[in-house]
Every structure is written in C-alpha cells, then in structure tokens.
C-alpha cells in the first residue's frame, strides 16, 4: 500500500488554525531561491514576476508562507547577499512594484511572505562603504564599518587571525594602509553594530518592508552581527564544523541578543503577527534556544536536525534535544532538510534510488514532528544535487575555501514542464544548466503521477493542515524494533481531539524504518499515508527499510494501536 491518502471524510480544522494568532508556531514555510525559481523575461534568471506567476504551485502544494531570498539591488558578488540598496529591487529581479504586487497576490491567495534581511554586512558598492573609502581613516563614515590599522612595524599584517567563512583572511587592506573586516567575501564588508547609526538604519529598513506588507524577515547571519570585544586572536583551537561550514569562535556573541530584542519590539508594534527567523549557526541546541526566547526571534533554523545522519538513534537524540531546549524558552522547534547553502538531502542521504527513498520517508518524519517545517524549493520534486556542472558555470565564492563546498549544485533552476531544458523555467535558457534527465521530475510530469514525490508532499501537507494532531504540540515516543522511530501525536480536546464526555481521542502515529532490514510494527490504526510500499502481515504492518507511514486511531485507546 503506497500513498493511501486520507479520504474526504476527515474533519477539517481550518477554524482552529484561523483562531490561532501565532501562525508561525506550526507553519510550513517554502523557501524560494528567487534566482532559480521561475524566469518571466527570458534572461535565464528567476525574478519576482516569475515567482508571482508560480504562486498557484505553492497554494496547491499546501504551504502557509513563502520565504524569498534577497532580491535587493546588488552587484551579485554573493548572489544578492551583498546588498547595495536595502530599499530597492535589483533590475534583474524586477521592480518595487513587482515586489508590492507579489506580496499583495500572495496574501490574496492565503500565503504569507517572509523576506531576507542581511544585517551583518553590506556590499562594498553600498553608498555607506563608498563614503567610508572616500572619507579616510578616523572618519564618522568609517565608523559604520570595522576598519583597523594593521599589525607589524609597517601595518602590513592583518589586525588579527580571523578567517573568512569563504576562505583566507577576514581582512582586506586598502591603499591608505588600513584594513577592513569581512567575515565573508571581500565584497561584503562587516558593519559595526556598536554604532547607533547602524541600528537606526536597519530599523528604518525593517519598517520600509513591513509597511510594504511583508509578514516577517529571515535574518541572515543572525549570530554574527556583534564581534568580540577587542577583536582578539582566536587561535582556531576549538572549531565545530557542520556540513562543511566552520562555526568560527568569534560568532555567536551574547551582544547579538539585544539587537534581536529591539527588532522584536518593532515587529510587535505592527498588526498581523509579523515574525523574525534567525539563521543562527550555534554550536549547541542550548545556544540556539537563546535566539528564540519570548522577547527575541520567533524561530531559528534547526541546523542540528538538518545535519544529522540517516540513523535512528542520532535522529532521535537531535529531536529530543531540540524539543527540550525550545520548550525551555516556550518557542516552537523548526525542522529543515535542505536549503540554498547545503547539498540537497537526496544526495546527502545516499543519492540515487536510496537517497530518494530516504527523502520520501524523511518528509513524512519532518512533517509529523511538533513545530514548524521548512521546504526548500525542489525538494518536493525529489531533486538531487547537480554534481557535474561545467567549470565555467561555477561562480559560488564559497568554492574559494573548498571546491567541494560550492553551493551551485543545490541552486540549479526548477524544472516546471516539457521534455528538454530549461523545462519551462522561462522563455529563454537558465543561468545554471539543467540536467536532461530532469524531464521525468518536472512539476507537470509529477502532478499526474499519484506515486511521485510531488504527490507525496501534497498529500502530506493536506493531512498536516487538516489533522488536529499535527502542527504545534508534543509527541510521545512508542517502542519499536531496532532502527525505527515511532511516535504518536494527540490532538488537544479544544482542537477536536477529544470529547470530555465520551473520552474519544484522535491520534496520529508516525513510524519510520531507518534501518537496513524490513521490520514488522503494530498497525496503529488506519494508514493515512506511506512513503513507500507497505503491507499487512497478520496483526502487524510490514515496513521496508527507509519507509515511513502515518496511521490514525480514533477511539478511547492508549495510542499504542489499541482501542
């Protein structure tokens, strides 16, 4: 039995969701990498009009919100994360009117819109940095950034030993002799958040986009805005690496939290429950939880879950730790499998048929967990990392540190329709070449296949939206065979999950086999959805390796398959 979708008799809980003001606690948020989503004008680069034209796909998929990567004016040294003007749209992506139209139509279709804000650094083409270069050492213009004299007799050595995330020293020397700090590319000079002008500028930037109608911000490098006092050498003795990204010791300074508190106060002053999401690479779940205290950010990306291996014990440990630490501060936990900065999880989970099978099971596991989930564009199609791109197309500055860490392969444009590249991406070509074999993975092809990855995601998101046990809340672990994860979710009585007089309960159980052997598990009620073939065997269900199933019990039982 594959993808046995729940029938139309399931009771809807739209009233419960509408009555819940804190939509972000269990929202499913879809990440659009604007450059690679859909192209409207034939230049081979995705744009805001292209996103707007494809909003029906997101509505049919069943997500709650869309997060847009930077579309601001930029020289594109880091594909938009080097911002030259925070209050305008780069011409390759459209215009401010395109942004307004996109937000307006998304809202009309029931989708919220989250945009990126990049506060750690600007572009070196930003008016502020250009003024700093012209003004010279000691000027108020340079005080907005982190300029320092060099070390050594002639100042020819960098001010400290800090390294860039993209490789090499985090300092670049200017003809005047001073050095400026850039924790990423040299074209991305770091701002000095000790300067009140920087605070005031970004408060105004946030207000600009909030007034335009956006529902929140994904805060880039939320852990890096404040630097350690005195900019001391670090020696690089205690480094943590996650998916090739080094968590440098000078990140995650406590001073960032006061900035986030001030932004939370600003967001709370607007109607409509506007939110902030931290991109914070913290070394532990405990440190990550600090970013989502009740007076700070609403959510933080759970990179500890993203990076965990395909292993039952390891996944359970991360799930339990994530739920425990977020509960301590009253925040929802987030779950994410891929994004625009890491290899796609189909590839990380083994690639090929094994990777796809595991990705299908991983989707049901993630969407059954308590909290909010993020979907990176293309994962609903089962896209793998494109690993054989021609050298002339590889432009990611991160490759300077390590050629294997380049992010181009997860940013290849989406295949929408047709039998040959660019598969309906736009009327022209595509800025990165698309593999010919993606003809079988287009939205058009998968929409007509009930066994496809797209059909699985649509079914899972429909059930998640309608079933009162899913979304925000808690879980209860159940005992299962080695190599499995099994837990139940119970709907609260107020959400239609129980009747105080009859004691009727409504539970959903998720069972996932992450091992390499077929196992038999209790039926846990009626099967709603499975990631792959399952079958009954007496009083049990046969669950093959790398397979997940959702089952429902409605009754007075204990959640272990008994009524």
């Amino acid at each position: 039995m594959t993808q046995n979708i729940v029938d139309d008799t399931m009771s809807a809980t739209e009233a419960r969701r509408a009555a819940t003001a804190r939509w972000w606690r269990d929202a499913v948020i879809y990440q659009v990498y604007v450059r690679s989503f859909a192209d409207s004008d034939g230049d081979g680069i995705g744009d805001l009009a292209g996103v707007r034209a494809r909003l029906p796909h997101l509505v049919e998929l069943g997500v709650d919100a869309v997060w847009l990567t930077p579309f601001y004016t930029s020289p594109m040294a880091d594909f938009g994360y080097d911002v030259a003007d925070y209050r305008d749209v780069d011409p390759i992506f459209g215009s401010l009117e395109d942004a307004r139209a996109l937000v307006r139509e998304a809202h009309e279709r029931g989708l919220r819109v989250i945009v990126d804000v990049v506060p750690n650094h600007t572009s070196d083409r930003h008016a502020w940095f250009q003024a700093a270069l012209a003004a010279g050492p000691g000027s108020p213009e340079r005080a907005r950034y982190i300029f320092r004299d060099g070390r050594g007799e002639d100042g020819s050595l960098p001010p400290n030993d800090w390294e860039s995330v993209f490789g090499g020293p985090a300092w670049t020397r200017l003809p005047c002799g001073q050095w400026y700090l850039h924790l990423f590319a040299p074209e991305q000079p770091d701002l000095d958040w000790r300067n009140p002008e920087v605070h005031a500028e970004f408060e105004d930037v946030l207000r600009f986009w909030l007034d335009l109608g956006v529902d929140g911000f994904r805060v880039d490098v939320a852990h890096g805005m404040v630097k350690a006092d005195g900019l001391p050498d670090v020696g690089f003795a205690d480094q943590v690496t996650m998916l090739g990204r080094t968590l440098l010791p000078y990140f995650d300074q406590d001073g960032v939290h006061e900035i986030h508190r001030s932004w939370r106060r600003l967001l709370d002053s607007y109607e409509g429950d506007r939110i902030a999401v931290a991109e914070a690479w913290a070394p532990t779940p405990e440190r990550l939880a600090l970013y989502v205290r009740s007076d700070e950010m609403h959510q933080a990306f759970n990179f500890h879950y993203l990076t965990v291996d395909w292993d039952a014990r390891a996944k359970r440990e991360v799930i339990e730790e994530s739920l425990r630490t977020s509960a301590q501060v009253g925040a929802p936990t987030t779950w994410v499998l891929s994004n625009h900065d890491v290899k796609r999880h189909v590839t990380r989970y083994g690639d090929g048929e094994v990777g796809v099978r595991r990705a299908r099971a991983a989707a049901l596991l993630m969407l059954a967990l308590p909290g909010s989930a993020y979907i990176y564009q293309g994962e609903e199609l089962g896209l793998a990392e494109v690993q054989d791109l021609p050298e002339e197309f590889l432009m990611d500055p991160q490759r300077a540190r390590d050629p294997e860490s380049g992010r181009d392969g997860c940013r290849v444009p989406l295949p929408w329709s047709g039998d040959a590249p660019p598969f309906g991406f736009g009327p022209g070509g595509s800025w990165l070449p698309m593999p010919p074999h993606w003809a079988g993975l287009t939205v058009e092809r998968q929409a007509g296949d009930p066994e496809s990855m797209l059909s699985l995601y649509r079914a899972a998101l429909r059930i998640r939206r309608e079933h009162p046990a899913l979304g925000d809340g808690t879980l209860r672990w159940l005992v299962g065979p080695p190599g499995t994860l099994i837990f139940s979710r119970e709907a609260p009585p107020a959400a239609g999950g129980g009747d105080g007089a009859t004691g009727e309960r409504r539970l959903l159980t998720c069972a996932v086999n992450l091992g390499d052997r077929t196992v038999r598990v209790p039926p846990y009620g009626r099967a709603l959805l499975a990631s792959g073939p399952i079958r009954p065997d007496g009083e049990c269900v046969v669950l093959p390796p790398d397979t997940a199933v959702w089952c429902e019990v409605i009754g007075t039982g204990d959640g272990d398959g008994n009524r």
Side-chain angles (χ1 to χ4, degrees):
M1 173 169 48
T2 307
Q3 292 184 219
N4 179 22
I5 303 173
V6 64
D7 60 43
D8 291 332
T9 62
M10 175 180 286
S11 299
T13 59
E14 296 301 325
R16 174 179 65 90
R17 289 190 178 273
T20 303
R22 296 183 298 174
W23 60 273
W24 42 273
R25 291 192 65 90
D26 59 3
V28 176
I29 300 172
Y30 186 98
Q31 180 190 356
V32 164
Y33 188 71
V34 177
R35 189 179 187 88
S36 298
F37 191 67
D39 172 26
S40 71
D41 58 13
D43 66 356
I45 297 174
D47 47 45
L48 296 181
V51 177
R52 184 183 174 195
R54 295 295 186 177
L55 287 178
H57 170 67
L58 304 184
V59 173
E60 190 168 4
L61 185 61
V63 299
D64 301 296
V66 56
W67 152 35
L68 303 170
T69 54
F71 48 78
Y72 314 114
T73 305
S74 168
M76 301 295 161
D78 189 20
F79 298 110
Y81 283 94
D82 50 317
V83 180
D85 186 345
Y86 289 86
R87 299 175 184 83
D88 204 357
V89 175
D90 194 281
I92 68 170
F93 297 131
S95 65
L96 267 177
E97 184 50 44
D98 288 321
R100 290 190 183 94
L102 174 55
V103 172
R104 181 173 60 249
E105 185 166 337
H107 287 167
E108 290 171 354
R109 293 180 177 273
L111 295 169
R112 290 180 167 89
V113 179
I114 297 168
V115 299
D116 249 302
V117 64
V118 187
N120 178 70
H121 48 263
T122 71
S123 166
D124 62 350
R125 307 287 181 85
H126 191 283
W128 272 13
F129 194 72
Q130 291 296 304
L133 296 181
S139 64
E141 289 83 359
R142 289 204 174 184
R144 296 163 174 163
Y145 294 89
I146 300 176
F147 285 86
R148 293 292 186 274
D149 294 328
R151 295 188 292 189
E153 291 184 5
D154 58 355
S156 62
L157 298 176
N160 63 25
D161 66 354
W162 293 9
E163 295 181 0
S164 163
V165 170
F166 290 161
W171 297 91
T172 289
R173 196 179 193 191
L174 297 170
C176 69
Q178 276 202 315
W179 299 73
Y180 70 88
L181 178 69
H182 52 86
L183 295 184
F184 293 85
E187 298 88 350
Q188 296 168 292
D190 279 40
L191 290 159
D192 190 343
W193 275 87
R194 298 174 304 172
N195 189 322
E197 283 190 79
V198 176
H199 287 262
E201 169 68 3
F202 274 89
E203 180 174 316
D204 190 73
V205 167
L206 297 184
R207 288 189 182 279
F208 178 87
W209 291 103
L210 290 167
D211 291 342
L212 188 138
V214 304
D215 299 283
F217 302 93
R218 177 264 193 186
V219 183
D220 186 62
V221 196
H223 57 301
M225 298 149 69
V226 171
K227 316 311 186 219
D229 289 342
L231 308 182
D233 285 342
V234 294
F236 301 96
D238 300 312
Q239 295 186 15
V240 177
T241 301
M242 299 171 66
L243 281 180
R245 175 176 290 224
T246 301
L247 306 188
L248 298 168
Y250 38 83
F251 282 133
D252 191 35
Q253 298 294 313
D254 288 338
V256 300
H257 297 289
E258 185 49 47
I259 301 171
H260 301 329
R261 290 187 187 98
S262 68
W263 287 13
R264 178 60 177 265
R265 291 191 293 270
L266 172 60
L267 290 165
D268 287 348
S269 72
Y270 278 77
E271 294 182 357
D273 219 14
R274 317 290 181 96
I275 72 167
V277 182
E279 187 225 15
W281 290 80
T284 66
E286 286 83 3
R287 290 293 300 180
L288 185 63
L290 298 179
Y291 289 82
V292 289
R293 288 174 287 193
S294 61
D295 61 346
E296 294 194 36
M297 302 268 187
H298 298 76
Q299 294 183 349
F301 289 120
N302 189 346
F303 293 119
H304 299 278
Y305 184 74
L306 183 152
T307 58
V308 71
D309 292 335
W310 186 254
D311 176 82
R313 177 177 295 179
K315 280 196 179 291
R316 177 163 174 168
E317 288 177 354
V318 170
I319 291 169
E320 289 179 338
E321 186 72 356
S322 299
L323 292 172
R324 182 185 66 80
T325 53
S326 60
Q328 288 177 345
V329 294
T333 305
T334 64
W335 314 103
V336 60
L337 296 170
S338 286
N339 64 34
H340 67 294
D341 282 334
V342 301
K343 279 187 170 60
R344 287 188 175 273
H345 61 276
V346 167
T347 299
R348 300 198 322 270
Y349 284 161
D351 216 6
E353 190 274 333
V354 170
V356 171
R357 191 172 65 234
R358 290 177 174 176
R360 292 172 66 91
L364 294 196
L365 171 58
M366 177 181 74
L367 293 172
L369 291 169
S372 179
Y374 282 78
I375 295 173
Y376 177 48
Q377 65 177 49
E379 74 177 70
E380 79 276 20
L381 304 179
L383 300 186
E385 188 83 358
V386 180
Q387 303 187 80
D388 55 355
L389 289 168
E391 184 69 27
E392 62 266 25
F393 288 97
L394 302 179
M395 298 179 286
D396 180 12
Q398 187 166 298
R399 294 182 73 246
R401 176 172 58 85
D402 174 12
E404 296 301 315
S405 73
R407 300 166 293 180
D408 302 284
C410 67
R411 299 176 175 184
V412 175
L414 289 192
W416 291 96
S417 60
D419 297 321
F423 299 117
F425 171 67
S430 59
W431 71 282
L432 287 173
M434 304 165 75
H437 72 265
W438 277 11
L441 298 176
T442 65
V443 173
E444 179 183 59
R445 184 75 63 88
Q446 293 200 44
D449 179 3
E451 304 296 319
S452 69
M453 183 75 83
L454 177 58
S455 294
L456 177 71
Y457 266 79
R458 286 177 174 176
L461 288 170
R462 174 175 171 249
I463 295 171
R464 179 187 166 98
R465 184 171 60 252
E466 296 177 344
H467 202 288
L470 293 179
D472 200 9
T474 60
L475 64 75
R476 183 163 72 96
W477 292 106
L478 305 178
V479 176
T484 64
L485 292 177
I486 305 176
F487 57 87
S488 66
R489 303 290 313 281
E490 181 173 0
D499 185 316
T502 66
E504 183 177 276
R505 305 166 69 194
R506 190 168 180 183
L507 301 97
L508 185 142
T509 298
C510 177
V512 189
N513 182 3
L514 294 90
D516 56 6
R517 296 182 179 181
T518 296
V519 298
R520 298 167 72 248
V521 298
Y524 303 111
R526 178 172 65 109
L528 300 180
L529 185 64
S531 68
I534 61 173
R535 60 180 176 83
D537 181 13
E539 295 185 354
C540 291
V541 171
V542 175
L543 197 61
D546 307 323
T547 305
V549 61
W550 287 356
C551 299
E552 181 187 49
V553 170
I554 301 176
T556 58
D558 57 11
D560 295 333
N562 302 315
R563 289 181 180 264

